[in-house]
Amino acid sequence: LEARARDVQMLKFGQEVDLEVLEKMSVNTVAEELKAQLQKLELQNSRELKAWEAQIQQAAAELANVTKQNTEKLERVAELTSAQHRLEKELNGTQSRMVAEVGPSKERMKAEREQLVSLVKLQAREMEALKAEINMLRRKGGHVYTPSVRKTG
């Protein structure tokens, strides 16, 4: 039987084939299945990694865009705050000048009051003089014309 196997090997292969070596060299199906499974997992992980990297790039772009928008808004707030301070400063300066120009000073008010008091005293003296003249004319028998007062009621 061994001789026959050797003859068949010589006819088919042109030399004697060691079956033990051939078995060791034969394809290990378990190892090949594991290799195929490993390649499949590597491909799946590679796709998943690419998807995550795309999401990261998208999030980074969105972050840059939002940061840019926030920076523009902060710059606008700074401009408006600066303008507000400038306007408040101008308004305060204008108000203080107006108060100084329009608002009477104490000395001016005192002088005006004294002038009014002297005017009232002068008018009171004139009234007394007119009353005295009216009384004198009544004693002499002269006619004193007084305005007529209508009574309503």
Side-chain angles (χ1 to χ4, degrees):
L1 192 60
E2 283 183 24
R4 178 158 165 80
R6 256 185 277 142
D7 289 337
V8 171
Q9 286 178 2
M10 287 301 274
L11 286 173
K12 280 189 175 181
F13 304 113
Q15 65 181 9
E16 213 178 298
V17 177
D18 189 4
L19 292 178
E20 288 179 17
V21 172
L22 189 59
E23 279 183 20
K24 289 180 183 177
M25 290 181 64
S26 71
V27 176
N28 188 352
T29 56
V30 175
E32 290 299 317
E33 286 176 9
L34 287 175
K35 282 183 183 178
Q37 211 175 15
L38 180 63
Q39 284 179 338
K40 186 178 177 182
L41 283 174
E42 284 178 348
L43 182 64
Q44 182 181 355
N45 287 342
S46 174
R47 288 181 185 155
E48 193 174 326
L49 181 63
K50 286 181 183 178
W52 280 109
E53 286 175 349
Q55 283 182 344
I56 289 171
Q57 285 180 340
Q58 182 181 1
E62 187 177 342
L63 175 65
N65 188 29
V66 169
T67 302
K68 182 180 176 186
Q69 288 175 353
N70 285 347
T71 301
E72 290 170 356
K73 288 178 183 178
L74 285 172
E75 287 173 352
R76 180 69 178 144
V77 166
E79 289 172 10
L80 291 174
T81 303
S82 175
Q84 180 182 7
H85 287 304
R86 182 180 43 78
L87 290 173
E88 286 177 352
K89 186 176 180 181
E90 286 179 24
L91 183 61
N92 288 339
T94 304
Q95 284 178 345
S96 64
R97 276 194 310 257
M98 287 180 68
V99 166
E101 291 172 2
V102 175
S105 65
K106 290 183 180 181
E107 296 84 22
R108 190 168 153 203
M109 285 179 64
K110 186 176 178 183
E112 197 174 315
R113 181 182 167 132
E114 289 174 3
Q115 185 181 6
L116 288 174
V117 168
S118 65
L119 180 63
V120 167
K121 288 180 182 177
L122 177 67
Q123 287 176 345
R125 285 194 301 263
E126 285 180 7
M127 283 177 41
E128 289 299 321
L130 288 173
K131 284 182 186 178
E133 188 178 341
I134 289 172
N135 283 333
M136 184 179 72
L137 287 174
R138 279 191 184 153
R139 282 191 223 131
K140 290 186 177 180
H143 296 290
V144 178
Y145 298 104
T146 59
S148 61
V149 179
R150 288 188 189 176
K151 294 186 179 178
T152 57

